[in-house]
Every structure is written in structure tokens, then in C-alpha cells.
Amino acid sequence: MYSQGLRDSKAGDDSPELLDAFQQRIDKEEKIEPRDWMPQAYRKTLIRQISQHAHSEIVGQLPEANWVTRAPSLKRKLILLAKIQDEAGHGLYLYSAAETLGESRHQMYQDLLSGKAKYSSIFNYPTLNWADAGAVGWLVDGAAIMNQVALCRTSYGPYSRAMVRICKEESFHQRQGYDIMLKMAKGSPEQKAMAQDALNRTWWPSLMMFGPSDKDSTHSDQSMKWKIKRFSNDDLRQKFIDATVPQAEYLGLSIPDKNLKYNDKIGHYDFSEIKWDELFNVIKGNGPCNQQRMDARNKAYEDGAWVREAAAVYAEKQDNKKHNKEVA
Amino acid sequence: MSAEYNYVLNLADNTLILGQRLSEWCGVGPFLEEDLALTNTALDIIGQAKMLLEFAAELKDSDDSADDLAFMRDQHEFKNVILVEQPNGDYSQTLLRQYFMDVYHLHLYTALSNSKNEQLAGIAAKSLKEVNYHLERSDLWIKRMAHGTEESFNRLQASLDKLWHYHHELFEESDELTELVEQGIAADPKQLKELWESEVNGLLSSTPLKIPQTGWKATGGRVGNHSEYLGLMLCEMQFLQRAYPNCEW
């Protein structure tokens, strides 16, 4: 546990000198490391953000796992399993990164199970046909990469290093997703219809992954100043749209937005207003799969209780045996 | 079909169906490290199935691909032992089935690494590296559950009472198989049985677990007479290929 060595002030106790010195380090692009002094709000923001990110990886296994047993070829089954295994691995790195800030994985996980902690809104949508496995890789991982590439330069060292590693794997995930879409879009009329249907359902929730509009984002200003965030929600969202529209065109699929149009004057695509009510509703727990995802996580945790207990008791018995041998 | 084809198909189907069952655990294991380990094991085992099915497709001398064999055969054409199609049950049942199969695969692949059929020897040698890890893990889990809590012991005993009757099928003999053994192609089921029993009995007798002494012995999987579970598994696994045939995915 790192909690004993935490070097920061109590709430509201940050002296202006310490804060200034901290900001200077950030401005010089120095990485902040676990044993360094940091403002309490910086620590709290990071714990919230990194644990949410970890929870998203864990919950995010579920909509893809929904298609593992029905994957249409051996190759696709293997790729999908490998991808889901990567996601679980990302969860593990991220929980570890958050633990360096003094929060235990057990506590973070309890917060997920109780519904106190959030995870990405996108995983509260269902995966209804095989092309969803493609759309998740192409759009959801694509949107995640936009965020995560920016986070490779985030000011907190362990988070930034975890991101570098995660980004490498995510770009493979996006490619495999696009490859599924390509096969479906260029396949039979039924396959193309599945691909279009998946795009129709996934497009808007993917844009919502970047979070609320800058004018409504509660955590943005301070996070930008501390370089936890390096780009605003709206900038990243625009970047994603600009990169993705030509990819959809290549697939011969249409993006479900009648106002989507390239704007020569600004060099970006214009698009319709996002239905923010839907995003806030899903975040509050009222999406199509919120209950289902939380039930699945809670059931896995409860069903696994005796397994975890058995492993702990066995480990303790082994330790005692070793200890007794050493004493004797 | 040739004896060699039937033999390879039996090995392929054992891994395919076991891997399919394991992949049902994806994302809902008892803790995160186990999620990773289970998915990884499923990945290795389906990878083995893919290599074996590709080889079987070559031996079949038809246009069928490995995917055709996996997704377009009906249950009576599957040659796997009935053990691997048994439901996952609780974690003790999944891990005990895995332990039985890991011990079997370890000795099978060790023997097949020296098969006169070079392709089979190559697949076995590659798979053996993976199986060593799988067995290390399932062996440890049997110990953890047997020596862990009263609940874990009782659950494991219940799983042993249920699954023990299915292991005999792994070592069934036939004239066709005897010929392949004599040709140096297949592993000898008598030797495998001896090695398997010595290892499994060795571990189980070091715990208070009791091996069931009576009861029936499962048989029939190798000739296509399965349990009711396989048909349902195939409905799920083959759904897309059946509903939308002749597509590329």
C-alpha cells in the first residue's frame, strides 16, 4: 500500500507555494510520480479518471463476450478472444496505476459493483448482430484511441506509461474491427444490412464517449491546467469524426446524420447536435443495458466469492507450512 | 474416411468443444486474473483446434476447410469425448474437467511429438508448450479447492462424483486406433491411461477427496453418440454459418 507515504495536503490545505511549484513542474512537462507531492484534488481527479477507465475495460468485456461463442469462423473467434483478453489486461494495468495513488483495487471494485463509480456509457448499449463486434472495434476502440493517444502525454507518470502500452493494443483492436466491417460491407446484402444496422446504432453513442460538450464539462478546466487532459472533449470528438467519415465512405455505408457535411471554411465536418439527454440518462443508469451489465458483474463477483476464499485460505495454509518449516 | 482422419478429428473436436465451453466464461470469472487466465487458455485450446482441423481438412481430401468442419457438421459427425461438452457448472467443475483434459493432453502431445506423421508431431510439439502452463494452473486449482475451505472441498467432491465417469472414454481402444499405434502415428491409449491414472490418482490421493467407485462409464462420443448438451452448443456456435451460408466473414 502506498497510502502511508502519500505526500499531499489535507483538503483545502494546499499552500500557494506548493501549488505554484507543482504547476511549474507540470508546465515544464515533468512527469509526476507516485511519491511526489501533489494537490489532493489532482490525486482525487486521477483516481476517479483512472478507475473509471479500468472499470470500462472490465465492463467492456461483456458486450464483446456476447459474440465469442457465436463468432462465425475460427479465426474471428481467436481474434475476439485475444482482444477481450487484452481488455482484461488493460483493466489490470489501470487498477495498478490507480493503486499508486493510494486507492485499493478492492475499494475501487466495490465502488463499481455498488454503482457509485461510473464506466464508459458506450458499454450500456447492446451488441445485436455480428457486425457489432466490428463496429465496437472500429468506432468504440477508435474513439478510445483518440482519447488515449492524448493520454500518453498525461502528466501522471504511471498513467501515461500504461497508456503507451494500451494504445499499441488498441490500434490492433480497431484494425480488426474495421476488417470485420469491411468483410460485412462488401459481403452479401444481408451482411451489408447488418453492417449498416450496427453503424446506425453505434455512431451516436460513440460520439458521446468523448463526454459532454466543453461548455458543460465539469472537470475540464482544472484537468487541462494540470495536463491530465491535453485536448478538450469537443476537439477530440471533431478529430474522430474527421478521421472516421472517409472510412465509412470506403465501406460504402452511410453515417446516420443528415447534417453531416464537410465544411471547407473550417476544414472539418459539420454534424448534428448530439442528444445530450440520452448521454446524461445513460450515465445516470438509464441506458438499455445498465442493469444487465451491473447484474452480470455482481453475479460474477458473488459466484466467485467461494473461489477467492478458497485461494486465500490455501495460500495462508501454505505460508504457515513454510513458516513452521523455517522455525523447525 | 481414413483412420488417420478420424483420429485427427477426434483430437480436433476435443479441443474445439472444450475451447468453446471455456470461452463461455469470458469476462465473468471469479476475479480479474482468472478472467485473463481462462480466456488465455480458451485461446490456446481453440488455436490447437484450428491447427488440428486444418490438418483434418487436408486429410479429408475434399473442398472442406477447417471452418467447414467446425461450423457445418451436425452433432453425430463430431468425434469428441462427452467429457468436454459437459456444462461448465461452477468453477470446481470447469477446473476439474480442465485438469482431466490437461493431464491427458500433456501425455498425448508428449507421445505425439514423436509421431511418424510429421505434421501431427509438429502440432503436438507446439501445443505441448501451452499445455504445460495449463496443467500447472489447473493442478494448483485442484489443490486450492481440495485444501481450501469446507465449501470448496464439498464443491470439488461433487464435481468429481459427476465427472469421474467421463474420463474412461479418453482411453477407449479400437481396431482402427490399434493399427495407427502400430504404424507409429497415434499415441497408445493403454500407455496414456496408465500415465493419466498415475498422475491423477497421485494428486487426488494426496487430498481427502474420494474417487467414486461405482457408476456407469460414458461412451459413444468418438462414434458420434453424444450427450444432449452438444446439439445446443452447436446451435450457438454454428448459428451465423448456418443462417447465412456461403458468406465470408
Side-chain angles (χ1 to χ4, degrees):
Chain A
M1 281 298 294
Y2 289 79
S3 54
Q4 290 168 329
L6 298 185
R7 298 180 61 188
D8 56 48
S9 50
K10 289 182 184 129
D13 219 18
D14 296 336
S15 77
E17 292 79 16
L18 280 168
L19 280 173
D20 273 354
F22 182 77
Q23 190 61 50
Q24 278 177 26
R25 292 192 63 195
I26 299 277
D27 294 342
K28 279 193 283 186
E29 298 287 331
E30 283 179 26
K31 290 277 179 257
I32 306 302
E33 296 298 336
R35 300 168 74 90
D36 297 347
W37 184 87
M38 61 186 83
Q40 208 183 43
Y42 178 85
R43 184 184 299 279
K44 230 176 123 185
T45 301
L46 276 167
I47 291 174
R48 181 181 51 77
Q49 186 173 329
I50 301 174
S51 64
Q52 271 183 19
H53 192 163
H55 299 330
S56 301
E57 301 281 359
I58 301 309
V59 178
Q61 294 178 90
L62 300 171
E64 296 190 298
N66 181 38
W67 280 95
V68 163
T69 54
R70 290 176 290 172
S73 71
L74 294 166
K75 185 181 128 190
R76 292 290 177 207
K77 199 186 284 292
L78 288 168
I79 293 174
L80 193 56
L81 276 167
K83 176 177 191 297
I84 297 171
Q85 192 198 8
D86 284 349
E87 313 288 8
H90 297 172
L92 208 52
Y93 306 151
L94 288 162
Y95 282 126
S96 304
E99 280 190 311
T100 66
L101 292 156
E103 184 78 307
S104 74
R105 180 167 134 197
H106 178 74
Q107 186 54 51
M108 289 183 267
Y109 206 71
Q110 293 306 313
D111 289 346
L112 170 68
L113 295 176
S114 71
K116 187 180 159 205
K118 303 293 178 207
Y119 55 88
S120 180
S121 57
I122 191 77
F123 302 120
N124 291 314
Y125 292 86
T127 50
L128 298 180
N129 78 53
W130 168 249
D132 285 61
V136 167
W138 174 37
L139 299 174
V140 175
D141 292 323
I145 290 170
M146 285 290 167
N147 263 318
Q148 289 169 356
V149 166
L151 284 171
C152 291
R153 289 172 54 228
T154 193
S155 57
Y156 187 56
Y159 193 24
S160 145
R161 289 187 288 273
M163 276 303 134
V164 171
R165 194 159 167 185
I166 287 172
C167 277
K168 283 183 193 156
E169 293 178 346
E170 290 292 355
S171 64
F172 149 73
H173 297 171
Q174 193 198 15
R175 278 203 302 277
Q176 68 82 34
Y178 193 70
D179 188 52
I180 291 176
M181 292 305 278
L182 196 59
K183 277 275 182 326
M184 301 288 280
K186 307 285 178 198
S188 71
E190 289 91 347
Q191 284 177 301
K192 188 169 181 184
M194 285 185 231
Q196 184 62 56
D197 175 46
L199 172 58
N200 291 349
R201 283 180 288 102
T202 314
W203 176 252
W204 290 106
S206 303
L207 298 190
M208 292 176 200
M209 282 176 70
F210 294 94
S213 169
D214 294 346
K215 58 183 192 302
D216 300 319
S217 178
T218 41
H219 303 293
S220 283
D221 282 351
Q222 187 60 60
S223 285
M224 293 283 272
K225 201 175 148 211
W226 278 334
K227 297 189 179 174
I228 294 174
K229 271 174 94 147
R230 314 277 321 208
F231 298 96
S232 80
N233 293 353
D234 286 336
D235 285 351
L236 287 170
R237 186 166 15 242
Q238 185 69 58
K239 211 173 157 193
F240 173 72
I241 293 171
D242 292 346
T244 309
V245 174
Q247 295 169 358
E249 282 167 1
Y250 183 77
L251 293 173
L253 299 177
S254 40
I255 287 177
D257 180 357
K258 58 181 184 336
N259 295 316
L260 189 80
K261 197 167 174 271
Y262 191 72
N263 183 332
D264 280 328
K265 277 186 209 145
I266 53 169
H268 295 293
Y269 282 88
D270 291 333
F271 56 98
S272 299
E273 183 70 14
I274 288 172
K275 291 177 186 151
W276 297 114
D277 285 359
E278 179 179 327
L279 172 62
F280 293 122
N281 230 337
V282 175
I283 290 173
K284 262 189 255 159
N286 303 321
C289 295
N290 292 62
Q291 189 67 48
Q292 187 186 338
R293 302 290 184 240
M294 289 314 296
D295 286 352
R297 289 264 54 95
N298 276 289
K299 183 175 187 303
Y301 189 75
E302 283 158 22
D303 288 351
W306 71 269
V307 183
R308 295 190 299 274
E309 203 191 334
V313 168
Y314 179 74
E316 201 180 315
K317 284 181 184 170
Q318 293 300 104
D319 279 353
N320 288 344
K321 252 192 216 166
K322 208 172 141 196
H323 178 74
N324 291 342
K325 253 189 204 164
E326 280 168 8
V327 171
Chain B
M1 289 302 152
S2 72
E4 218 169 354
Y5 170 76
N6 288 333
Y7 182 65
V8 174
L9 201 59
N10 164 249
L11 306 185
D13 288 346
N14 282 344
T15 47
L16 178 62
I17 300 302
L18 180 62
Q20 175 75 3
R21 273 293 187 221
L22 280 176
S23 69
E24 292 171 13
W25 273 105
C26 200
V28 293
F31 52 96
L32 188 48
E33 283 80 353
E34 279 302 296
D35 269 337
L36 275 160
L38 273 173
T39 311
N40 193 46
T41 308
L43 193 58
D44 285 345
I45 290 177
I46 296 173
Q48 293 167 15
K50 185 166 179 281
M51 289 189 285
L52 288 162
L53 284 170
E54 279 163 359
F55 184 34
E58 277 175 40
L59 291 170
K60 199 181 174 197
D61 199 21
S62 73
D63 290 339
D64 283 352
S65 65
D67 280 337
D68 291 330
L69 291 179
F71 296 98
M72 299 307 278
R73 277 180 302 151
D74 202 348
Q75 62 159 341
H76 64 277
E77 297 165 285
F78 272 76
K79 309 277 185 200
N80 59 280
V81 294
I82 296 173
L83 173 65
V84 293
E85 67 204 41
Q86 293 309 298
N88 285 334
D90 67 9
Y91 216 56
S92 72
Q93 197 169 321
T94 297
L95 265 297
L96 185 65
R97 183 187 62 199
Q98 192 59 36
Y99 173 66
F100 285 175
M101 289 306 293
D102 289 343
V103 176
Y104 170 72
H105 277 140
L106 178 82
H107 296 299
L108 173 77
Y109 291 144
T110 303
L112 288 182
S113 301
N114 298 314
S115 169
K116 284 200 175 138
N117 183 307
E118 279 178 20
Q119 208 159 337
L120 199 52
I123 295 172
K126 188 167 184 293
S127 306
L128 192 54
K129 288 180 195 151
E130 297 166 348
V131 169
N132 272 307
Y133 285 109
H134 300 169
L135 179 57
E136 200 177 299
R137 176 170 164 274
S138 60
D139 178 281
L140 177 60
W141 269 113
I142 299 305
K143 288 174 186 154
R144 281 168 166 165
M145 292 184 194
H147 299 292
T149 62
E150 195 184 336
E151 181 177 6
S152 66
F153 173 81
N154 289 338
R155 283 173 180 269
L156 185 57
Q157 181 65 61
S159 297
L160 183 60
D161 292 343
K162 208 177 275 183
L163 293 183
W164 183 254
H165 313 289
Y166 291 94
H167 82 273
H168 308 280
E169 206 185 355
L170 289 166
F171 312 107
E172 272 178 6
E173 297 174 38
S174 69
D175 293 346
E176 202 175 76
L177 184 55
T178 307
E179 238 173 81
L180 287 178
V181 173
E182 279 164 7
Q183 290 164 21
I185 291 171
D188 181 356
K190 280 197 196 73
Q191 275 178 20
L192 289 180
K193 185 173 197 274
E194 226 170 82
L195 290 163
W196 190 94
E197 282 178 348
S198 133
E199 181 151 357
V200 172
N201 292 342
L203 174 59
L204 295 183
S205 64
S206 73
T207 72
L209 290 163
K210 286 194 176 62
I211 293 175
Q213 295 302 317
T214 55
W216 65 284
K217 291 178 180 178
T219 181
R222 282 166 183 259
V223 292
N225 290 327
H226 290 276
S227 66
E228 290 175 351
Y229 298 115
L230 183 64
L232 291 168
M233 283 182 83
L234 297 184
C235 283
E236 189 174 348
M237 186 174 87
Q238 299 179 336
F239 155 67
L240 280 165
Q241 291 262 6
R242 297 281 189 183
Y244 306 97
N246 305 317
C247 287
E248 273 190 56
W249 300 94

